[in-house]
């Protein structure tokens, strides 16, 4: 049985997708509003975390 590996994005990838600066992305990570993991010192954000973040922002705005 194989399971799909979740797509992991770099901070610059997330910056481009959310149209945010580097500091803001790290602020979202620090405040735990955006889920991330560290792999040997490299910060990675699961693609699903971006969707969760955006949906949460939409929900808050409603």
């Amino acid at each position: 049985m194989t399971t799909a590996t979740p797509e992991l994005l770099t901070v610059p990838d997330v910056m481009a997708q959310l149209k945010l600066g580097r500091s803001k992305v790290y602020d979202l990570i620090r405040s735990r509003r955006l889920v991330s993991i560290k792999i040997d010192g490299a910060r990675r954000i699961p693609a699903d975390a971006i969707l969760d973040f955006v949906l949460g922002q939409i929900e808050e705005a409603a």
Side-chain angles (χ1 to χ4, degrees):
M1 180 170 115
T2 60
T3 56
T5 303
E7 181 182 6
L8 297 175
L9 305 172
T10 63
V11 170
D13 293 337
V14 174
M15 290 167 52
Q17 284 193 16
L18 295 178
K19 311 288 191 276
L20 295 173
R22 183 177 183 272
S23 296
K24 185 59 180 179
V25 172
Y26 277 109
D27 182 51
L28 292 171
I29 291 168
R30 262 191 305 281
S31 64
R32 298 187 180 192
R33 293 172 61 200
L34 184 61
V35 174
S36 72
I37 60 172
K38 261 186 146 179
I39 302 172
D40 292 334
R43 182 68 61 184
R44 295 294 179 259
I45 300 93
D48 291 346
I50 305 280
L51 181 59
D52 292 343
F53 171 74
V54 171
L55 293 176
Q57 292 299 297
I58 292 169
E59 200 171 286
E60 278 183 28

